[in-house]
Amino acid sequence: MSNRETGQRGTRAMKYILLPILLLSGIALGACASPATQVAPSSGQPAFEKFGIAPSPLPIKHVIIIVQENRTPDNLFQGVPGADISKTGKNSEGQIVKLHPISLAAPWDLSHGRGAFIMDYDGGKMDGWNDKLPAQFQNRPFGYVPRSQNQPYYDMATQYAFADRMFQTQQAGSFPAHQYLVSGTSSALPVTYDSASNNPYDSRSPYTPAPAGCDAPSYSVVPTLSRETGKAGRNLFPCFDRPALSDLLDARNLSWRYYEHRLGTGLWYAFDAIKHVRYGPDYANVTSPSQTILKDISGGNLASLSWVMPPAEEFSDHPDSRSTMGPAWVSAVVNAVGRSPYWDSTAIFITWDDWGGWYDHVKPTIYNHFELGFRVPLVVVSAYARKDYVSHNEHEFGSILRFAERNFDLGSLHTTDQRSDDLTDMFDFRQQPRRFVRIKAPPFHPGPDTLTGPDRSDPE
């Protein structure tokens, strides 16, 4: 890339770095919670300086964010030593229910939209998971994945670092979750500060899911919600123009890639819903299919920051995918880094985008009417990750963004990254780089439908 091109890219990026500062002058997002809203006090989260480490330079030159689907720690990580994982749940009758094994390939899904969060949370009682389910399905939310199916994940969590206080930032499903994972918010800017609060639906048939993103048909709309008041806002076409972490990377002339199943609309395809990326030169950084990252690693072309989506639903861990191949896919990426020259300079964050309707016993901190949501797992794999370490600090999606901001000296998006910790407690940058040990997992073999299979539209 020429100096002229990099300079132009930096200039374009500055427009979107300055935008939140100009828009938010005099407005503090999430700071005006209603009296009924519990507002968390400042927790003094750890920062690089706490550990005697300057923000830059650090040995981490590459950050990989792997995003899987719809799991909680109680559901996916039973038995991790030292982690706060429950073997029992509480149902809507106030009864204690023993969690039971349910296959990763369960042939059904659970409700996990905004309405499901309200029901499951039940005003903080955390007992609404089975509410309104037919009698024969009452035990479905109270399940955990057996070790025979999640062993690669368990090995990563116990060999490296695991967080038992990682929360999805939003109280809904996949579409807003993936917006938070690139922007630290799902605000429907520039039209409104309100958050995109659920997955898109067909405006002609409100109970029918619709495609997400700027490439969606005109009838696709997404509901919005005021985080401060909880009141419903306008239903909007799911194409926004807010800043994203990519803009900060551009301003530093750092490379980034967003690996996804295929180009176009999709709940997991965050940058298709950000207008200046979708219709600008940065869309060249959105890469399909997802498994291209394996070639980029082996070919010496790993970007400074990579977001990695599942290569198809069968590798996503999503309930109703009828597959147990998610751990094989994630292990393939981890093992590719581990056997490459990138191992000593890479931090891999593995998380899940929402709770998926599965039971989890830990009550989230409520900052406002849309944040935080339920716990999701977080595993950190790196030559500098603390060995067999469980973090009990509160983390959220903004924590991953803040780590990248601090690591690359990017500045801030001025969204939820500002209140988040930076995940420093899960690393020891003073230790010698740890030798990589291959994660044992089934082989990753993308099927013939990987490029053509359908994208999921999550039910509410």
Side-chain angles (χ1 to χ4, degrees), residues 58-66 160 293 296-297 301-306 308 333-350 379-386 403 407-408 426-429 431 433-434 436:
L58 287 175
I60 301 302
K61 307 302 180 187
H62 307 276
V63 171
I64 299 176
I65 305 168
I66 300 176
Y160 298 98
I293 190 174
D296 286 347
I297 293 168
N301 295 314
L302 184 64
S304 298
L305 191 141
S306 302
V308 183
V333 178
V334 170
N335 287 332
V337 173
R339 62 175 175 260
S340 77
Y342 291 116
W343 171 244
D344 288 356
S345 62
T346 300
I348 305 173
F349 298 93
I350 306 163
V379 179
V380 175
V381 178
S382 171
Y384 300 93
R386 295 179 183 272
F403 178 90
N407 182 71
F408 296 121
M426 302 181 77
F427 294 87
D428 184 354
F429 292 115
Q431 71 184 12
R434 296 172 52 187
F436 180 71

Side-chain angles (χ1 to χ4, degrees), residues 15-30:
K15 171 184 176 182
Y16 295 99
I17 296 168
L18 292 173
L19 178 61
I21 300 173
L22 296 172
L23 288 173
L24 296 178
S25 58
I27 299 175
L29 294 182

